[in-house]
Short mmCIF file of all heavy atoms in Angstrom, two decimals:
data_model
loop_
_atom_site.label_atom_id
_atom_site.label_comp_id
_atom_site.label_asym_id
_atom_site.label_seq_id
_atom_site.Cartn_x
_atom_site.Cartn_y
_atom_site.Cartn_z
N TYR K 1 14.97 -15.34 -5.18
CA TYR K 1 15.54 -16.60 -5.69
C TYR K 1 15.54 -16.64 -7.21
O TYR K 1 16.50 -17.14 -7.82
CB TYR K 1 14.75 -17.77 -5.11
CG TYR K 1 15.06 -19.11 -5.72
CD1 TYR K 1 16.25 -19.78 -5.42
CD2 TYR K 1 14.15 -19.73 -6.59
CE1 TYR K 1 16.53 -21.02 -5.98
CE2 TYR K 1 14.42 -20.96 -7.15
CZ TYR K 1 15.61 -21.61 -6.85
OH TYR K 1 15.88 -22.84 -7.41
N VAL K 2 14.49 -16.11 -7.83
CA VAL K 2 14.41 -16.14 -9.30
C VAL K 2 14.98 -14.89 -9.94
O VAL K 2 14.92 -14.72 -11.16
CB VAL K 2 12.96 -16.39 -9.78
CG1 VAL K 2 12.41 -17.68 -9.21
CG2 VAL K 2 12.05 -15.22 -9.43
N GLY K 3 15.51 -13.98 -9.13
CA GLY K 3 16.19 -12.81 -9.66
C GLY K 3 15.29 -11.67 -10.08
O GLY K 3 15.65 -10.87 -10.95
N VAL K 4 14.11 -11.56 -9.44
CA VAL K 4 13.17 -10.48 -9.75
C VAL K 4 13.13 -9.52 -8.56
O VAL K 4 12.91 -9.96 -7.42
CB VAL K 4 11.76 -11.01 -10.06
CG1 VAL K 4 10.78 -9.87 -10.24
CG2 VAL K 4 11.79 -11.90 -11.30
N GLN K 5 13.31 -8.24 -8.82
CA GLN K 5 13.33 -7.25 -7.75
C GLN K 5 12.08 -6.37 -7.80
O GLN K 5 11.72 -5.86 -8.86
CB GLN K 5 14.58 -6.36 -7.87
CG GLN K 5 15.88 -7.13 -7.80
CD GLN K 5 16.05 -7.86 -6.48
OE1 GLN K 5 15.78 -7.31 -5.41
NE2 GLN K 5 16.51 -9.10 -6.54
N ARG K 6 11.42 -6.23 -6.66
CA ARG K 6 10.28 -5.33 -6.52
C ARG K 6 10.34 -4.68 -5.15
O ARG K 6 10.99 -5.18 -4.24
CB ARG K 6 8.94 -6.08 -6.68
CG ARG K 6 8.60 -6.47 -8.11
CD ARG K 6 8.39 -5.27 -9.00
NE ARG K 6 8.01 -5.63 -10.35
CZ ARG K 6 8.83 -5.93 -11.34
NH1 ARG K 6 10.13 -5.99 -11.09
NH2 ARG K 6 8.40 -6.21 -12.53
N ARG K 7 9.62 -3.57 -5.00
CA ARG K 7 9.54 -2.91 -3.70
C ARG K 7 8.30 -3.41 -2.96
O ARG K 7 7.22 -3.52 -3.55
CB ARG K 7 9.49 -1.38 -3.87
CG ARG K 7 10.77 -0.79 -4.42
CD ARG K 7 10.77 0.73 -4.28
NE ARG K 7 9.67 1.34 -5.00
CZ ARG K 7 9.74 1.72 -6.28
NH1 ARG K 7 10.85 1.53 -6.97
NH2 ARG K 7 8.71 2.29 -6.87
N PHE K 8 8.46 -3.65 -1.67
CA PHE K 8 7.37 -4.16 -0.86
C PHE K 8 7.20 -3.30 0.39
O PHE K 8 8.17 -2.78 0.94
CB PHE K 8 7.64 -5.61 -0.42
CG PHE K 8 7.64 -6.60 -1.56
CD1 PHE K 8 8.83 -6.93 -2.20
CD2 PHE K 8 6.47 -7.18 -1.99
CE1 PHE K 8 8.84 -7.83 -3.25
CE2 PHE K 8 6.45 -8.07 -3.04
CZ PHE K 8 7.66 -8.41 -3.67
N VAL K 9 5.95 -3.20 0.84
CA VAL K 9 5.66 -2.45 2.06
C VAL K 9 4.41 -3.07 2.68
O VAL K 9 3.56 -3.64 1.97
CB VAL K 9 5.45 -0.95 1.75
CG1 VAL K 9 4.23 -0.73 0.88
CG2 VAL K 9 5.36 -0.14 3.03
N ALA K 10 4.28 -3.00 3.99
CA ALA K 10 3.10 -3.51 4.69
C ALA K 10 2.11 -2.38 4.91
O ALA K 10 2.50 -1.26 5.25
CB ALA K 10 3.50 -4.11 6.04
N SER K 11 0.83 -2.66 4.73
CA SER K 11 -0.19 -1.63 4.90
C SER K 11 -0.18 -1.07 6.32
O SER K 11 -0.43 0.12 6.53
CB SER K 11 -1.57 -2.18 4.56
OG SER K 11 -1.88 -3.32 5.36
N SER K 12 0.12 -1.91 7.30
CA SER K 12 0.12 -1.44 8.69
C SER K 12 1.24 -0.44 8.95
O SER K 12 1.17 0.34 9.91
CB SER K 12 0.26 -2.62 9.65
OG SER K 12 1.47 -3.33 9.40
N ASP K 13 2.26 -0.42 8.11
CA ASP K 13 3.37 0.51 8.29
C ASP K 13 3.10 1.87 7.65
O ASP K 13 3.72 2.87 8.03
CB ASP K 13 4.66 -0.06 7.68
CG ASP K 13 5.22 -1.21 8.50
OD1 ASP K 13 4.91 -1.28 9.70
OD2 ASP K 13 5.96 -2.04 7.93
N ILE K 14 2.21 1.90 6.66
CA ILE K 14 2.00 3.16 5.94
C ILE K 14 0.61 3.75 6.15
O ILE K 14 0.38 4.92 5.85
CB ILE K 14 2.24 2.97 4.42
CG1 ILE K 14 1.27 1.94 3.84
CG2 ILE K 14 3.68 2.54 4.16
CD1 ILE K 14 1.35 1.80 2.33
N ASP K 15 -0.32 2.93 6.66
CA ASP K 15 -1.69 3.40 6.84
C ASP K 15 -2.25 2.75 8.09
O ASP K 15 -2.93 1.73 8.02
CB ASP K 15 -2.54 3.05 5.61
CG ASP K 15 -3.96 3.59 5.71
OD1 ASP K 15 -4.19 4.50 6.53
OD2 ASP K 15 -4.84 3.10 4.98
N PRO K 16 -1.94 3.28 9.26
CA PRO K 16 -2.24 2.59 10.52
C PRO K 16 -3.72 2.50 10.88
O PRO K 16 -4.05 1.88 11.88
CB PRO K 16 -1.48 3.42 11.55
CG PRO K 16 -1.37 4.78 10.95
CD PRO K 16 -1.24 4.56 9.48
N ASP K 17 -4.59 3.11 10.10
CA ASP K 17 -6.03 3.06 10.41
C ASP K 17 -6.75 2.22 9.36
O ASP K 17 -7.11 2.72 8.29
CB ASP K 17 -6.61 4.47 10.44
CG ASP K 17 -8.08 4.48 10.85
OD1 ASP K 17 -8.61 3.39 11.16
OD2 ASP K 17 -8.69 5.55 10.88
N PRO K 18 -6.96 0.94 9.64
CA PRO K 18 -7.59 0.05 8.66
C PRO K 18 -9.11 0.06 8.68
O PRO K 18 -9.75 -0.76 8.03
CB PRO K 18 -7.06 -1.32 9.08
CG PRO K 18 -6.96 -1.22 10.56
CD PRO K 18 -6.56 0.22 10.86
N ARG K 19 -9.72 1.00 9.42
CA ARG K 19 -11.18 0.98 9.55
C ARG K 19 -11.88 1.27 8.23
O ARG K 19 -12.99 0.82 7.99
CB ARG K 19 -11.61 1.98 10.62
CG ARG K 19 -11.26 1.54 12.05
CD ARG K 19 -11.58 2.61 13.06
NE ARG K 19 -10.77 3.81 12.86
CZ ARG K 19 -10.88 4.90 13.61
NH1 ARG K 19 -11.77 4.95 14.59
NH2 ARG K 19 -10.09 5.94 13.38
N VAL K 20 -11.25 2.06 7.39
CA VAL K 20 -11.79 2.28 6.04
C VAL K 20 -11.34 1.13 5.17
O VAL K 20 -10.14 0.86 5.05
CB VAL K 20 -11.29 3.62 5.46
CG1 VAL K 20 -11.78 3.78 4.03
CG2 VAL K 20 -11.76 4.78 6.32
N GLY K 21 -12.29 0.41 4.59
CA GLY K 21 -11.94 -0.78 3.82
C GLY K 21 -12.33 -0.68 2.37
O GLY K 21 -12.76 0.37 1.88
N GLY K 22 -12.17 -1.79 1.68
CA GLY K 22 -12.61 -1.90 0.30
C GLY K 22 -11.94 -0.91 -0.64
O GLY K 22 -10.75 -0.62 -0.55
N GLU K 23 -12.75 -0.39 -1.53
CA GLU K 23 -12.26 0.52 -2.56
C GLU K 23 -11.63 1.78 -1.99
O GLU K 23 -10.59 2.25 -2.47
CB GLU K 23 -13.43 0.88 -3.48
CG GLU K 23 -13.05 1.63 -4.73
CD GLU K 23 -14.27 1.87 -5.60
OE1 GLU K 23 -15.01 2.81 -5.31
OE2 GLU K 23 -14.46 1.10 -6.56
N GLN K 24 -12.23 2.31 -0.92
CA GLN K 24 -11.70 3.54 -0.31
C GLN K 24 -10.29 3.30 0.25
O GLN K 24 -9.42 4.17 0.15
CB GLN K 24 -12.63 4.02 0.80
CG GLN K 24 -13.92 4.63 0.31
CD GLN K 24 -14.78 5.11 1.48
OE1 GLN K 24 -15.21 4.32 2.33
NE2 GLN K 24 -15.01 6.40 1.55
N ARG K 25 -10.08 2.13 0.83
CA ARG K 25 -8.76 1.83 1.39
C ARG K 25 -7.72 1.75 0.28
O ARG K 25 -6.60 2.25 0.40
CB ARG K 25 -8.80 0.50 2.15
CG ARG K 25 -7.45 0.13 2.82
CD ARG K 25 -7.37 0.75 4.18
NE ARG K 25 -6.06 0.68 4.81
CZ ARG K 25 -5.56 -0.38 5.45
NH1 ARG K 25 -6.26 -1.50 5.50
NH2 ARG K 25 -4.39 -0.31 6.03
N VAL K 26 -8.06 1.09 -0.81
CA VAL K 26 -7.13 0.96 -1.93
C VAL K 26 -6.76 2.32 -2.49
O VAL K 26 -5.59 2.62 -2.75
CB VAL K 26 -7.72 0.06 -3.02
CG1 VAL K 26 -6.89 0.13 -4.29
CG2 VAL K 26 -7.82 -1.38 -2.54
N ILE K 27 -7.77 3.17 -2.68
CA ILE K 27 -7.50 4.52 -3.20
C ILE K 27 -6.59 5.29 -2.25
O ILE K 27 -5.66 5.98 -2.67
CB ILE K 27 -8.82 5.27 -3.44
CG1 ILE K 27 -9.56 4.65 -4.64
CG2 ILE K 27 -8.57 6.76 -3.68
CD1 ILE K 27 -10.94 5.22 -4.88
N ARG K 28 -6.84 5.14 -0.96
CA ARG K 28 -6.02 5.84 0.02
C ARG K 28 -4.56 5.34 -0.03
O ARG K 28 -3.62 6.12 0.09
CB ARG K 28 -6.59 5.67 1.42
CG ARG K 28 -5.92 6.58 2.44
CD ARG K 28 -6.76 6.69 3.70
NE ARG K 28 -6.76 5.47 4.48
CZ ARG K 28 -7.43 5.33 5.62
NH1 ARG K 28 -8.17 6.33 6.08
NH2 ARG K 28 -7.39 4.20 6.28
N LEU K 29 -4.39 4.05 -0.19
CA LEU K 29 -3.04 3.50 -0.30
C LEU K 29 -2.34 4.01 -1.55
O LEU K 29 -1.14 4.33 -1.52
CB LEU K 29 -3.09 1.97 -0.30
CG LEU K 29 -3.45 1.30 1.03
CD1 LEU K 29 -3.73 -0.19 0.83
CD2 LEU K 29 -2.35 1.49 2.06
N CYS K 30 -3.08 4.09 -2.65
CA CYS K 30 -2.50 4.62 -3.89
C CYS K 30 -2.06 6.07 -3.70
O CYS K 30 -0.96 6.46 -4.14
CB CYS K 30 -3.50 4.53 -5.03
SG CYS K 30 -3.78 2.85 -5.67
N GLU K 31 -2.90 6.84 -3.05
CA GLU K 31 -2.56 8.25 -2.82
C GLU K 31 -1.34 8.36 -1.91
O GLU K 31 -0.45 9.18 -2.14
CB GLU K 31 -3.76 8.98 -2.22
CG GLU K 31 -4.92 9.13 -3.20
CD GLU K 31 -6.14 9.77 -2.55
OE1 GLU K 31 -6.32 9.62 -1.31
OE2 GLU K 31 -6.92 10.40 -3.28
N HIS K 32 -1.30 7.53 -0.89
CA HIS K 32 -0.19 7.59 0.06
C HIS K 32 1.13 7.24 -0.62
O HIS K 32 2.17 7.84 -0.31
CB HIS K 32 -0.45 6.63 1.22
CG HIS K 32 0.53 6.77 2.35
ND1 HIS K 32 1.81 6.25 2.30
CD2 HIS K 32 0.41 7.37 3.57
CE1 HIS K 32 2.43 6.54 3.43
NE2 HIS K 32 1.61 7.21 4.22
N ARG K 33 1.09 6.26 -1.54
CA ARG K 33 2.31 5.82 -2.21
C ARG K 33 2.55 6.55 -3.53
O ARG K 33 3.45 6.23 -4.28
CB ARG K 33 2.27 4.31 -2.46
CG ARG K 33 2.02 3.49 -1.22
CD ARG K 33 2.97 3.82 -0.09
NE ARG K 33 4.35 3.42 -0.37
CZ ARG K 33 5.38 3.72 0.39
NH1 ARG K 33 5.19 4.46 1.48
NH2 ARG K 33 6.59 3.30 0.09
N GLN K 34 1.69 7.56 -3.81
CA GLN K 34 1.81 8.38 -5.02
C GLN K 34 1.80 7.52 -6.28
O GLN K 34 2.62 7.70 -7.20
CB GLN K 34 3.08 9.24 -4.95
CG GLN K 34 3.07 10.21 -3.78
CD GLN K 34 4.33 11.07 -3.71
OE1 GLN K 34 5.41 10.63 -4.06
NE2 GLN K 34 4.18 12.30 -3.26
N ALA K 35 0.87 6.58 -6.31
CA ALA K 35 0.71 5.70 -7.46
C ALA K 35 -0.42 6.21 -8.35
O ALA K 35 -1.49 6.56 -7.86
CB ALA K 35 0.41 4.28 -7.01
N SER K 36 -0.18 6.25 -9.63
CA SER K 36 -1.20 6.71 -10.57
C SER K 36 -1.92 5.56 -11.27
O SER K 36 -2.88 5.78 -12.02
CB SER K 36 -0.57 7.63 -11.62
OG SER K 36 0.52 6.99 -12.25
#
């Protein structure tokens, strides 16, 4: 609506095992999405 474009994804679509939480989960998501 305000004209801002970003990419979005759900964690359940890219990392189906949520048993690892907290900091480890975030790092894993960064690695999966190739974010530095």
Side-chain angles (χ1 to χ4, degrees):
Y1 170 74
V2 303
V4 174
Q5 300 299 316
R6 285 296 182 275
R7 293 193 299 271
F8 293 93
V9 64
S11 58
S12 59
D13 288 337
I14 61 174
D15 183 18
D17 184 3
R19 288 175 296 179
V20 176
E23 190 177 80
Q24 287 181 298
R25 182 87 191 279
V26 169
I27 290 174
R28 190 163 71 180
L29 289 169
C30 287
E31 291 176 333
H32 189 282
R33 305 308 291 173
Q34 298 180 327
S36 54

